[in-house]
Amino acid sequence: MTIEVALSLMAGARVDHLVLCDGDDQSTGLITLARLTVLRDSPAYTDRVRLRDVLAGPSASPAGPPRPVGASSRAL
């Protein structure tokens, strides 16, 4: 999944993070809306950057535990 697709999905679901899973439904990482926005706005961004590439880098997870879906911020 690309960053643009992830941002669109997050906007539609009104969530501030995504939990990413592999083919066996095992969690492989968590990415926040803030992190994706910073990546999209960086000069190195291209429309070919995929989430699996981002998770290999620093700051893919938030500092604290993720909030339940109903408790996430509604302002995008």
Side-chain angles (χ1 to χ4, degrees):
M1 176 184 309
T2 65
I3 289 176
E4 288 299 323
V5 170
L7 287 168
S8 177
L9 186 131
M10 292 170 84
R14 297 182 179 168
V15 296
D16 62 357
H17 67 275
L18 287 177
V19 176
L20 306 171
C21 298
D22 63 13
D24 296 325
D25 290 333
Q26 298 296 310
S27 176
T28 59
L30 185 132
I31 191 95
T32 64
L33 178 63
R35 174 76 172 140
L36 288 177
T37 302
V38 167
L39 289 167
R40 184 192 58 201
D41 295 341
S42 76
Y45 172 77
T46 71
D47 61 355
R48 294 180 181 233
V49 176
R50 300 181 85 58
L51 290 180
R52 67 176 166 241
D53 302 330
V54 173
L55 287 178
S59 303
S61 297
R67 292 177 284 180
V69 172
S72 62
S73 171
R74 299 289 179 184
L76 294 178

